[in-house]
Amino acid sequence: MKAYRGDAVLFEAWCAGYGFRSLPASSQAVAGFLTYEADAGRAASTIGRRCAAIRYAHQLAGLPDPTDNEDVRATLKGVRRTIGTAPNQKAAATAEVLAAMLMRTPDTLTGKRDRALLALGFAGALRRSELVALDVADLREDSDGLRVIVRRSKMDQEGKGFEKAIPHGRFIRPVALVREWLEAAGISDGPVFRPVSRSGRVRVAGKSARPPRLTTQAVADVLKRYAAAAGLEASTFGAHSLRAGYITTAAELGADLARIMDQSGHRDPRTVVGYIRRANAFKDHSGSGFL
């Protein structure tokens, strides 16, 4: 619903700029807006969601649905045909790739934070929104590692929360890297991941009562920075690369689908099966015996 509200606001602003009414909107206005969004380079999935947001806004207001129109349907069909609906898959930061990134982190406070961020994001198969939302109180010590409480996620809009187990590990060592960051930064409560100034100090609270959190964009920037440092094509990596990398690595090593879903938090196995299929594309290939 939050995304829908944002989409509706964008439509209202576009209508105001082009002299159309946004509520009730005409089918011509909706078609024009969708075409404008396509020309601006929006993904087909984004344009489809914005169309759904316009429909929802009219339903809430008890007004006729302007998207239920042949012109709008034809516009959407043209957008999908022109842009395509295939998702823009970011490269997976597998365990091997992650290790190469970790080797490039400097031994500074920022470097310690980035190591912890990369390692925990990978080990927990965490979405970037989940990663930056973590508080110290969400990290619970266990003899086998850490129990991380994810308070709210994309699949848990009611905020019931769920727990992810993070083993100590022997190679990535996520638990040790998180502890190293927290101790070096002197963080004992509040947000786990915070901005670090150029002078090497953790940013403190300003007028707000709580210290600032790292942003979701900063997570993507960290991935790209160390991908470039490792000699990889930075543009192919994004914040989702950590999550994709964990799932891909687990699939390559033959982990059980249900256990992968336990860690990733996916509800639909089809999404995870897609990662597994890509990871195992060349294993036991049907043509390996004669190609």
Side-chain angles (χ1 to χ4, degrees), residues 26-28 30-32 34-35 51 55 65-81:
S26 65
S27 57
Q28 291 82 2
V30 175
L34 300 180
T35 301
C51 185
R55 181 187 309 118
D65 178 10
T67 70
D68 186 18
N69 176 274
E70 188 56 39
D71 287 343
V72 175
R73 284 192 286 269
T75 299
L76 277 174
K77 188 178 293 185
V79 165
R80 294 189 181 106
R81 183 171 58 249

